[in-house]
Amino acid sequence: MDYSHHSRHERLTPVPAIADSAEALRSLVAKLGIASGMTVQEIGDDDDVDDQFRSAVEAVTGTQIVGLEFEEVVDAVLLWHRDDDEDLVDSLVDAAVQLTESGPIVLLTPKPGRAGHVEPAEIADAAPTAGLQVTTTVSAGPDWQGTRMVTPKGPRR
């Protein structure tokens, strides 16, 4: 195709923007510690969750997200939590029950200004109380932020 009559800024991009955003979401999911082959359990999902984020998790892992009915050990947990949900510490402790020792909990909370927003100070206080350490916080979609938490490594011996 000849684009010579268009200015540099008017050129059409060969990859649709939707593919770019899907790739960016998959990269974000990987940054949160979710990788190919992992079994990911989802807790607290409701009508308001970000389906594109969920799809990106399934694209990265190559497996479907499992729910609370899943009774085996899981490699990672997606915990959707809103300000009016049960106590955050209790939710985090419950989320870790089936989680492998090295697996991340990805806490997904509404962004500031959205209904159900959870203050960062509350997350920072809840993590160590639940025996977890915050490692990364990222934008997980238009309305949600994701906070990666892991069990702190013990002293090296």
Side-chain angles (χ1 to χ4, degrees):
M1 236 182 234
D2 178 24
Y3 291 110
S4 58
H5 64 283
H6 291 285
S7 77
R8 175 179 293 202
H9 299 292
E10 291 177 317
R11 285 196 180 173
L12 300 175
T13 52
V15 179
I18 192 87
D20 290 345
S21 69
E23 182 58 40
L25 258 179
R26 286 192 295 274
S27 173
L28 185 84
V29 166
K31 185 176 181 178
L32 290 169
I34 296 173
S36 179
M38 281 186 158
T39 300
V40 178
Q41 184 176 47
E42 183 174 49
I43 301 171
D45 52 314
D46 205 340
D47 296 342
D48 62 347
V49 301
D50 189 303
D51 288 328
Q52 287 184 315
F53 182 81
R54 294 175 80 251
S55 295
V57 168
E58 291 180 339
V60 167
T61 62
T63 61
Q64 283 196 314
I65 295 170
V66 299
L68 285 173
E69 71 287 346
F70 191 79
E71 296 180 1
E72 296 175 36
V73 173
V74 296
D75 302 305
V77 173
L78 300 181
L79 173 60
W80 300 91
H81 187 86
R82 299 140 199 95
D83 188 45
D84 56 354
D85 288 345
E86 70 178 66
D87 182 69
L88 180 55
V89 173
D90 291 345
S91 295
L92 290 168
V93 169
D94 291 347
V97 169
Q98 291 173 239
L99 186 61
T100 64
E101 196 175 300
S102 61
I105 292 175
V106 177
L107 174 66
L108 294 143
T109 56
K111 288 184 175 178
R114 308 296 197 280
H117 172 66
V118 178
E119 290 298 325
E122 183 181 344
I123 295 169
D125 289 347
T129 305
L132 299 165
Q133 169 182 333
V134 172
T135 62
T136 309
T137 299
V138 298
S139 174
D143 298 317
W144 294 88
Q145 61 189 17
T147 304
R148 181 180 185 264
M149 299 181 185
V150 295
T151 303
K153 303 256 187 284
R156 296 191 187 271
R157 297 186 178 169

